[in-house]
Amino acid sequence: MTDETQNTSEHAPAAETAEEALYSAETLEAARVLFARPATFMMGAAKIEQLPAADLPEVTFAGRSNVGKSSLINALVGQNHLARASNEPGRTREVNFFVLDEKLRLVDLPGYGWAKASKAEVKKFQNLGRDYLRGRPNLKRAYLLIDARHGLKAVDNEPMDALDVAAVSYQIVLTKADKIKPHELKAVIEKTQAQIKKRPAAHPVVLATSSEKGHGIPELRAEIMTTCAVAP
């Protein structure tokens, strides 16, 4: 997955202090230990009938193609190649399941906004994602990934509408937060919070992350751990 040229100065997300305040040191450490446990690719489901049994808590990651979903999953578990990062929609045409320590699953939904795929292909694998969201009783939260450099776009309204209708709790996670200056990131966070304020299923806290620099990763791990009510 390629990124635009990175700003040469070191940028730490402006929201880092606020995010850290949400979690105790003990919680952050417990989450670190949990995500250091074995994480493996379980399966990719191309049809709703192929989904595994709903016997573990799950969180899912959604977002535009090339927003950094694979990189974020890899950063969370401390592996470089667990989730495939690619400029072409390969395994991301399926709903991909990764198992962490046999305690919870990280689920990678097909990306949206992919212009090179045919309309029929796009509809097929996006409908699969919608079916998953509507019919997964063990789904604890969806994380909607948004490129911090661009913020919410019109194309992001459709998945947010789908999540609201399905009454699935979702949280905005800004990716590539190291690519912009702290004051720019702060403005994006504030604008995003305002945009989702009236959405019924949206979690009010917007997290800023950088898979490359590790910013916000400990806090997202803690968020997932507490949301799924699991412990290391």
Side-chain angles (χ1 to χ4, degrees):
M1 185 173 296
T2 59
D3 290 330
E4 295 175 4
T5 303
Q6 181 178 344
N7 191 308
T8 54
S9 60
E10 290 293 325
H11 299 314
E16 190 171 45
T17 300
E19 289 167 359
E20 286 177 346
L22 296 173
Y23 312 101
S24 67
E26 291 79 5
T27 299
L28 291 170
E29 174 60 15
R32 184 195 66 78
V33 171
L34 173 64
F35 277 83
R37 298 284 171 78
T40 58
F41 174 70
M42 179 183 181
M43 63 173 292
K47 299 179 180 179
I48 196 71
E49 297 82 8
Q50 297 173 339
L51 296 180
D55 53 358
L56 288 176
E58 294 174 355
V59 295
T60 190
F61 300 87
R64 293 195 67 183
S65 298
N66 287 348
V67 75
K69 286 194 287 101
S70 297
S71 296
L72 185 67
I73 291 172
N74 289 337
L76 285 169
V77 300
Q79 297 185 31
N80 292 327
H81 305 294
L82 178 64
R84 293 180 184 175
S86 172
N87 287 330
E88 295 293 332
R91 276 180 12 187
T92 51
R93 291 172 185 257
E94 302 176 336
V95 176
N96 293 305
F97 292 82
F98 305 91
V99 182
L100 176 63
D101 197 30
E102 301 301 327
K103 291 182 178 179
L104 65 91
R105 296 190 189 109
L106 309 176
V107 184
D108 186 6
L109 290 185
Y112 57 86
W114 185 261
K116 292 184 179 180
S118 71
K119 290 184 178 180
E121 287 180 301
V122 169
K123 185 174 181 180
K124 180 179 179 181
F125 59 76
Q126 289 186 357
N127 282 345
L128 174 62
R130 292 190 188 94
D131 289 342
Y132 168 82
L133 292 172
R134 284 196 295 262
R136 203 64 177 165
N138 57 327
L139 177 59
K140 302 303 181 182
R141 180 167 294 166
Y143 293 97
L144 182 60
L145 276 53
I146 302 295
D147 191 320
R149 297 170 296 183
H150 310 305
L152 287 171
K153 297 293 185 182
V155 71
D156 300 311
N157 287 325
E158 186 176 353
M160 288 193 292
D161 290 343
L163 289 161
D164 285 333
V165 170
V168 173
S169 171
Y170 63 98
Q171 186 167 10
I172 303 296
V173 176
L174 300 177
T175 61
K176 307 179 185 181
D178 60 304
K179 307 298 184 185
I180 59 177
K181 297 177 180 179
H183 74 274
E184 294 173 332
L185 179 60
K186 183 175 183 292
V188 172
I189 291 172
E190 291 175 350
K191 182 178 179 180
T192 303
Q193 288 174 330
Q195 288 174 301
I196 65 173
K197 189 173 183 179
K198 294 184 178 180
R199 286 191 170 272
H203 190 283
V205 176
V206 174
L207 295 177
T209 66
S210 166
S211 299
E212 183 176 336
K213 300 294 185 181
H215 301 321
I217 299 301
E219 290 74 31
L220 182 54
R221 288 171 179 158
E223 187 75 43
I224 294 170
M225 181 185 73
T226 54
T227 298
C228 292
V230 297

